[in-house]
Amino acid sequence: MSRFPGSFALIVLPVLVLGLAACETPVVEQSLPELTFAHLKPIKLNVATIEVVSQYRPPLRPPNVEHLFPTPPLKVLRRWASDRLKAVGKSGSARLVIHKASAVESVLKKKTGFTAAFTKQQSHRYDLAVEATLEIFADGRQKGHALAHATRFSTLREDTSINKRQRIWFDLTEALVRDFDAEMENNIRRHLGAWIR
């Protein structure tokens, strides 16, 4: 005959479960800075209005993962337009057309064998791409345009933490749009110089 009443097991089990739950270390979400271009001198255009139009529609499914990014490329391009392009004219308009703002994930093939079992390998690759055209309109007609695009990629190790992955995505997006900014400004000055104030 047991020395303990039958209800003992019912009492101990919840206590053990609570004890194990208390041992888990919660993941602390990191705080990433906001991507802005306010520190750069704005490009003043001799137009009355500026609009942003996106022709790109995120698929929201693999292999595309831009919707999982802390700051998706599409959002950063819109912010770029808001910070960098300023309308200072009395007539005419400018339109930034976003053609692409994607991030694609690829699973990398891992090496096998004895040595590989003791090596942390690169497991995923992320390819980012943005492309947009700035168009100028006056008197109901397009007067000129400037195109810019940029690509970046990075790989992640199989043991990369969630926070580390988010940071890598953030840094990759920042570098991507920095490249875009440099090319777009250069092409605006080259092809739309008559519209710069």
Side-chain angles (χ1 to χ4, degrees):
M1 185 173 177
S2 173
R3 294 184 299 167
F4 303 102
S7 60
F8 177 76
L10 297 177
I11 296 172
V12 172
L13 185 57
V15 171
L16 289 174
V17 171
L18 289 173
L20 291 172
C23 293
E24 292 182 8
T25 303
V27 177
V28 179
E29 287 191 22
Q30 61 185 326
S31 178
L32 295 171
E34 185 178 359
L35 283 176
T36 74
F37 304 87
H39 62 288
L40 299 175
K41 185 178 179 180
I43 301 170
K44 298 179 180 180
L45 299 174
N46 187 20
V47 295
T49 62
I50 298 173
E51 68 171 329
V52 178
V53 177
S54 178
Q55 293 181 345
Y56 181 74
R57 298 289 181 267
L60 304 178
R61 63 178 182 273
N64 286 71
V65 293
E66 60 266 17
H67 57 287
L68 303 177
F69 276 39
T71 310
L74 182 58
K75 181 179 179 181
V76 182
L77 283 184
R78 290 183 179 277
R79 182 60 186 262
W80 177 88
S82 175
D83 288 346
R84 292 287 274 143
L85 304 178
K86 299 299 177 186
V88 296
K90 295 183 179 180
S91 64
S93 63
R95 180 173 66 186
L96 183 73
V97 182
I98 300 172
H99 308 296
K100 182 179 287 188
S102 62
V104 177
E105 179 185 67
S106 303
V107 178
L108 300 177
K109 186 176 181 180
K110 295 182 183 180
K111 295 179 181 178
T112 58
F114 181 78
T115 305
F118 298 94
T119 305
K120 298 299 182 184
Q121 301 183 51
Q122 299 296 311
S123 60
H124 292 79
R125 172 174 166 142
Y126 296 92
D127 288 273
L128 277 62
V130 291
E131 182 177 308
T133 302
L134 180 64
E135 303 170 334
I136 300 291
F137 295 89
D139 302 321
R141 299 175 58 188
Q142 186 184 118
K143 298 296 185 177
H145 70 275
L147 171 72
H149 71 276
T151 60
R152 283 269 180 167
F153 80 91
S154 182
T155 58
L156 268 64
R157 269 184 16 168
E158 58 186 323
D159 62 340
T160 302
S161 68
I162 293 174
N163 279 346
K164 178 66 174 176
R165 181 179 62 187
Q166 293 277 319
R167 183 74 216 192
I168 290 173
W169 283 352
F170 177 88
D171 291 342
L172 193 58
T173 304
E174 182 181 33
L176 174 78
V177 183
R178 189 168 60 240
D179 293 345
F180 171 86
D181 171 71
E183 182 175 341
M184 181 57 91
E185 180 171 5
N186 181 60
N187 288 340
I188 288 174
R189 297 189 182 283
R190 179 184 299 176
H191 302 296
L192 301 174
W195 298 89
I196 298 177
R197 279 276 186 90

